[in-house]
Amino acid sequence: MSAEPPAQPDPALPNTPLANPSLPGPREQLNGLGFGMLLLDPQHVIREVNPAAESLLGVSLKRMRGKSFLDILDFVHSGVRDRLADTERQLVARGVDVTVGKRDLRLNITMSTLSNHPGWRMATLSDASQGERFEEQERRGQLRGPAVLAHEIKNPLAAIRGAAQLLQRKVGESETALTGLIADEVDRIAQLIDRMQRLGRERAEPVGPVTLHQAIRRAQETVRISTDATVAWREEFDPSLPPVLGNEGALVQVLVNLMANACDACSDSVAPQVTVRTRFVSGMVMNVIRLGRPVKLPIEICISDNGPGVDPSIRDDIFEPFVSSKTNGQGLGLALVQKLVRDMDGRVSHERDEDGGWTHFRIHLPMAR
């Protein structure tokens, strides 16, 4: 007596998976993707776009649908454009420089063919700067050594400063300038070491719900008091934004650094201006190694200035320690900004709009649950 074949789910029955009314449809699945996706026909015309691609490119579905993919994305290197022309070939490209409108982006791009639809392809896009997340552990290891060294340097520095203060009481007026110089330089080095230690600190500050605009106001007040530059401030806030998940003290420090940098950068402009914007963006996702899962980052803070911008030769490395375009810069401010933002499971990025004459620093943070 042969065994009966296993029962198959009946699509007509409401309790079977095939007829589950809660099962997301193709459009919902497409909208839920954390990376940008575009459907291209054999003539490279864009037929479908998901919200993540709209957010990443800064272009709406209405403006992209029916347009050529190569008209929306202007590739800096012609080699990539030539490879895209072959509709029967798959493509994987990382760190590709493209211009979308007036924005310069660096993207990871994959182009896959659809076997049942000759000539049709699926393009997926992601922000290439997110790849730095996978180097986070390695970078922290590199910064741990300087942090340990900094700790060992601070003790003799304190002794040097104490000796200078003792000498100051015994020498004449002509020598007090020298002892004062010693003390001042020791203080400067000590401050530098403090910042190095903060960069190498592995334990992140605890996070919780933070009222975003309250943190921005605190940072603005600090910068306005501490800077001599006459800068026009402009605000474009979305008052409906929910609390972000972060550390208020760390977030204020990040904002103070970026706002102070913006004021310095545009101080020599004819009409210096700093703009602070907040908005909700969909589709921004980051892979966090520490958590082992992707994290949505829908809250954006953008700090912009109309200064000349960062020296092009160091734009790709501005978040690295000891990289600075300032004459007396230590190159730790933006490295610390990136470290603090990472500790809040967020990301910070830099963008230059040459046509408009603006420099933008964008922070993306998760929402508090």
Side-chain angles (χ1 to χ4, degrees):
M1 186 173 182
S2 59
E4 294 183 3
Q8 299 296 319
D10 185 351
L13 298 177
N15 61 344
T16 61
L18 294 178
N20 189 341
S22 64
L23 185 67
R27 168 57 62 181
E28 293 173 296
Q29 296 177 40
L30 186 65
N31 291 347
L33 293 175
F35 51 84
M37 196 224 71
L38 302 92
L39 177 65
L40 311 182
D41 70 13
Q43 285 72 45
H44 303 105
V45 174
I46 299 172
R47 296 303 182 185
E48 289 292 343
V49 178
N50 73 338
E54 293 181 88
S55 176
L56 178 62
L57 301 177
V59 184
S60 67
L61 167 63
K62 184 177 181 180
R63 289 179 55 196
M64 283 192 279
R65 182 181 281 166
K67 299 288 183 65
S68 170
F69 179 73
L70 297 177
D71 286 341
I72 299 296
L73 280 75
D74 183 12
F75 291 87
V76 175
H77 301 292
S78 59
V80 177
R81 178 183 286 267
D82 294 340
R83 291 170 64 188
L84 287 171
D86 186 353
T87 58
E88 301 303 321
R89 182 179 178 184
Q90 290 192 336
L91 169 69
V92 177
R94 297 184 60 84
V96 178
D97 292 318
V98 301
T99 300
V100 181
K102 296 182 178 180
R103 300 177 63 199
D104 294 326
L105 302 175
R106 178 162 291 176
L107 304 176
N108 298 324
I109 301 176
T110 64
M111 196 75 71
S112 304
T113 59
L114 302 179
S115 57
N116 294 331
H117 299 273
W120 287 74
R121 288 187 292 175
M122 194 76 76
T124 61
L125 312 175
S126 63
D127 188 345
S129 63
Q130 292 186 23
E132 68 192 11
R133 291 290 170 192
F134 297 100
E135 303 168 10
E136 181 173 350
Q137 298 299 326
E138 181 181 351
R139 287 190 179 186
R140 290 195 174 190
Q142 293 172 349
L143 291 171
R144 211 172 296 136
V148 173
L149 180 62
H151 177 76
E152 296 301 320
I153 292 174
K154 291 184 81 171
N155 289 334
L157 277 180
I160 293 171
R161 196 184 197 291
Q165 289 175 327
L166 290 174
L167 283 173
Q168 193 169 23
R169 300 172 188 172
K170 299 180 180 180
V171 299
E173 288 188 15
S174 59
E175 287 84 13
T176 55
L178 294 176
T179 57
L181 176 63
I182 293 172
D184 291 343
E185 285 301 296
V186 166
D187 289 342
R188 185 182 66 83
I189 295 171
Q191 291 173 2
L192 174 62
I193 289 173
D194 286 340
R195 300 179 84 176
M196 289 175 62
Q197 286 182 306
R198 292 190 70 184
L199 278 174
R201 188 181 300 159
E202 293 187 49
R203 180 177 298 176
E205 298 291 335
V207 297
V210 176
T211 304
L212 180 60
H213 296 124
Q214 180 176 309
I216 293 175
R217 297 288 187 205
R218 281 183 55 191
Q220 280 182 318
E221 183 178 355
T222 300
V223 173
R224 282 173 167 164
I225 292 174
S226 60
T227 184
D228 296 329
T230 304
V231 175
W233 290 82
R234 181 181 175 188
E235 299 174 353
E236 296 179 11
F237 292 169
D238 181 350
S240 66
L241 292 180
V244 298
L245 184 64
N247 178 276
E248 184 170 4
L251 180 56
V252 170
Q253 181 63 58
V254 165
L255 295 171
V256 165
N257 282 14
L258 293 180
M259 290 178 185
N261 284 352
C263 289
D264 290 342
C266 67
S267 58
D268 293 331
S269 300
V270 176
Q273 180 176 315
V274 174
T275 300
V276 184
R277 297 182 179 90
T278 62
R279 64 171 183 153
F280 187 93
V281 296
S282 61
M284 181 64 68
V285 176
M286 180 187 67
N287 292 309
V288 179
I289 293 177
R290 180 173 58 82
L291 300 178
R293 59 179 173 82
V295 175
K296 292 184 178 181
L297 307 175
I299 309 299
E300 179 184 280
I301 314 158
C302 182
I303 299 173
S304 310
D305 69 81
N306 61 347
V310 179
D311 185 337
S313 65
I314 64 170
R315 281 180 186 171
D316 292 340
D317 304 310
I318 56 173
F319 294 107
E320 296 291 335
F322 311 113
V323 175
S324 176
S325 59
K326 297 180 181 179
T327 304
N328 298 315
Q330 298 168 349
L332 292 177
L334 289 178
L336 179 59
V337 162
Q338 180 168 256
K339 195 268 182 190
L340 294 176
V341 173
R342 282 178 169 179
D343 286 347
M344 293 183 282
D345 296 329
R347 70 181 293 266
V348 59
S349 59
H350 163 266
E351 179 185 321
R352 176 64 183 173
D353 177 7
E354 293 291 356
D355 292 337
W358 288 89
T359 299
H360 307 289
F361 280 86
R362 302 181 193 276
I363 304 167
H364 292 95
L365 295 171
M367 286 191 305
R369 294 183 178 179

